[in-house]
Amino acid sequence: MKKITILLSHLGYGGISNEVACLANNLANLYDVEILSVYRLYNEPVYELKDNVKISYISDIKPNKTEMRHYLKNKNFKMYFKGLAHMITGIFIRYIKTPIVLKKTKQDILITTNTLYNYLSGKFVSSNVKKIAWEHVHHNDNKKYIKKLVKSVKNVDYLVCVSEELKNHYEKLMPGKVFYIPNAIDNIPNKLSKLDSNNITSVGKISKEKGFDDLLRLFKKITLKYPDWKLNVIGDGLYKNELLDLAKELKLGDKVIFHGYQDKEYIKEVMLNTSIYVMTSLSEAFGISLLEAMSYGIPCVSYTSAQGANYLIDDKVNGFLIGNRDEDEMILKISELIENVNLRNKMGKEARRKSKEYLDTNIINDWQKLFKKRKK
């Protein structure tokens, strides 16, 4: 039985961790699967894994790189210097300890999940191992990032992109090396939302690129016309306090509920009591939370800046796509769904149908074909 190792930063909350768990569970039926996590955030993985999926941790510490950048940007030098020793330890783990572990780890196929791990894979892992880089980030025409990614996969066999747009872009730079395999959901829920509640929901890490501040501002305008409606924000992050302050400034009171990070069962209960799902991300290579909402039969509204939404939402069929981050248009379409229950139900059925196309059992065949492909 071939061994597959998936290398990622951590098994905490987040789209990449979710997708790694989903892929590992499916591959475990056919291969010897190991997840190699650089950091250990929690005693147990956030997402459920099958018993035959092996989990190994390179370190037991939590990374603080994102926090340190935040402190430096906001000139919080006290917290920055306080975390300096921890950051240096993290650098040692990423650049010294991880390559050592990779050299010792035996596998037939190695899947990496970011540019650093792509580079380490190509440099320190045996040429006999099939190396696959799995790209989840949209480049947003950032030439520096594009160059960094291309360089990172120089000694990697294949690059898997989660959207056709990314595949087509990188294919021009690396002909014959790039493949499109969309992200997947591991379950289509038996129960659907009845779409009869006065609830809007959005799920994601509370970071600048998710655009939750824009969501609060437009929701404030919605409450002026529809005071009985509420907004659920599920997620956490460094900018949560800023978002809480903005909610107070907008005087949203109990109209916005901040749930923090939650497990799938908790999210399920919120989704079953949701009538509209809204995504305001400035960038989103795929958007797994959007797809999960659709699986509950919930119509979705998203800005087209969340690039992945453009493939999941069929405009005016299972939801609405809003171009140019047009807030007035976003409010108009949400209002249309609030006022028209029949439209919600019609779009919800189409959203549910669309989600079934991305069930993991349909996607796993694409991975298997790539595993069987001969190295050049």
Side-chain angles (χ1 to χ4, degrees):
M1 184 180 287
K2 286 188 175 182
K3 181 183 177 183
I4 296 175
T5 300
I6 307 174
L7 175 65
L8 82 166
S9 291
H10 61 77
L11 283 165
Y13 293 99
I16 293 177
S17 300
N18 189 356
E19 284 306 307
V20 166
C22 180
L23 179 61
N25 284 334
N26 276 278
L27 295 178
N29 298 325
L30 306 163
Y31 304 91
D32 177 13
V33 178
E34 177 183 18
I35 295 177
L36 185 58
S37 179
V38 175
Y39 301 103
R40 185 167 193 159
L41 301 191
Y42 306 100
N43 290 331
E44 297 295 331
V46 168
Y47 302 103
E48 187 175 348
L49 291 165
K50 290 183 177 179
D51 292 338
N52 57 340
V53 174
K54 182 183 177 182
I55 306 169
S56 300
Y57 296 95
I58 293 176
S59 75
D60 286 327
I61 74 165
K62 298 180 181 181
N64 72 339
K65 183 173 69 171
T66 303
E67 287 88 342
M68 293 296 277
R69 285 177 178 171
H70 179 73
Y71 297 146
L72 196 59
K73 184 179 179 180
N74 290 278
K75 297 181 179 180
N76 188 342
F77 299 116
K78 180 181 178 180
M79 291 301 296
Y80 181 82
F81 286 112
K82 187 177 180 180
L84 203 54
H86 189 96
M87 184 180 74
I88 292 170
T89 303
I91 291 171
F92 171 80
I93 289 166
R94 286 196 300 276
Y95 292 95
I96 306 298
K97 192 173 181 180
T98 298
I100 292 172
V101 172
L102 282 177
K103 282 183 179 181
K104 294 179 179 179
T105 304
K106 303 297 181 182
Q107 65 267 311
D108 298 290
I109 299 169
L110 175 63
I111 301 172
T112 50
T113 53
N114 70 26
T115 53
L116 173 60
Y117 305 151
N118 301 343
Y119 171 77
L120 296 179
S121 167
K123 186 172 178 63
F124 296 102
V125 176
S126 168
S127 59
N128 295 323
V129 176
K130 182 177 287 185
K131 307 175 194 70
I132 301 172
W134 192 8
E135 178 62 3
H136 294 82
V137 177
H138 198 284
H139 53 73
N140 292 312
D141 293 322
N142 184 326
K143 301 295 188 293
K144 185 177 179 180
Y145 181 82
I146 293 168
K147 184 177 180 180
K148 182 180 178 182
L149 175 67
V150 172
K151 185 178 180 180
S152 78
V153 298
K154 181 180 179 181
N155 296 314
V156 169
D157 298 298
Y158 303 110
L159 174 66
V160 170
C161 296
V162 298
S163 77
E164 288 188 85
E165 180 188 355
L166 288 180
K167 187 263 184 186
N168 293 336
H169 177 88
Y170 288 117
E171 177 71 14
K172 296 174 184 176
L173 303 174
M174 299 172 281
K177 193 170 186 172
V178 188
F179 294 83
Y180 161 58
I181 303 178
N183 282 338
I185 50 174
D186 58 5
N187 177 55
I188 298 293
N190 294 323
K191 292 179 69 176
L192 303 181
S193 170
K194 295 180 180 179
L195 306 180
D196 59 357
S197 69
N198 294 345
N199 285 318
I200 295 170
T201 296
S202 191
V203 180
K205 182 179 179 181
I206 299 181
S207 55
K208 288 292 185 182
E209 67 271 14
K210 297 298 182 181
F212 280 114
D213 51 345
D214 290 338
L215 177 59
L216 291 191
R217 292 186 184 96
L218 69 87
F219 182 69
K220 172 63 179 181
K221 295 179 180 179
I222 287 172
T223 61
L224 298 177
K225 189 175 182 181
Y226 309 102
D228 295 334
W229 279 72
K230 293 191 175 184
L231 172 65
N232 296 287
V233 176
I234 303 177
D236 214 330
L238 282 175
Y239 291 93
K240 184 175 180 179
N241 286 336
E242 290 184 23
L243 208 61
L244 290 170
D245 290 341
L246 179 59
K248 289 179 182 178
E249 181 186 323
L250 294 171
K251 299 179 180 179
L252 285 168
D254 63 354
K255 294 184 186 298
V256 178
I257 304 167
F258 293 94
H259 296 264
Y261 282 132
Q262 297 295 341
D263 61 26
K264 286 194 173 184
E265 281 302 309
Y266 186 101
I267 294 174
K268 174 184 175 181
E269 294 306 313
V270 176
M271 289 296 184
L272 290 174
N273 198 35
T274 294
S275 292
I276 303 167
Y277 187 90
V278 177
M279 177 177 278
T280 53
S281 297
L282 281 77
S283 178
E284 199 80 50
F286 186 79
I288 193 66
S289 62
L290 191 68
L291 188 58
E292 289 175 341
M294 296 171 80
S295 73
Y296 287 94
I298 301 170
C300 300
V301 188
S302 174
Y303 286 132
T304 56
S305 58
Q307 298 90 350
N310 301 322
Y311 294 93
L312 299 176
I313 296 178
D314 299 314
D315 190 34
K316 302 180 181 66
V317 177
N318 55 28
F320 292 111
L321 288 169
I322 313 299
N324 303 314
R325 298 190 66 81
D326 188 329
E327 183 183 274
D328 292 336
E329 183 68 12
M330 174 69 89
I331 293 170
L332 181 66
K333 294 306 180 185
I334 292 174
S335 299
E336 196 172 329
L337 285 169
I338 287 174
E339 294 177 4
N340 193 333
V341 177
N342 291 332
L343 180 63
R344 288 208 301 265
N345 289 325
K346 182 180 177 181
M347 286 189 165
K349 288 179 181 177
E350 290 298 322
R352 167 82 165 188
R353 182 195 61 76
K354 184 77 170 186
S355 70
K356 292 179 180 179
E357 296 176 13
Y358 293 87
L359 195 58
D360 53 3
T361 50
N362 297 328
I363 306 300
I364 199 64
N365 291 331
D366 294 332
W367 280 101
Q368 285 186 271
K369 288 177 184 177
L370 185 57
F371 295 157
K372 294 174 182 176
K373 193 174 181 63
R374 287 187 179 182
K375 292 177 59 175
K376 291 184 179 181

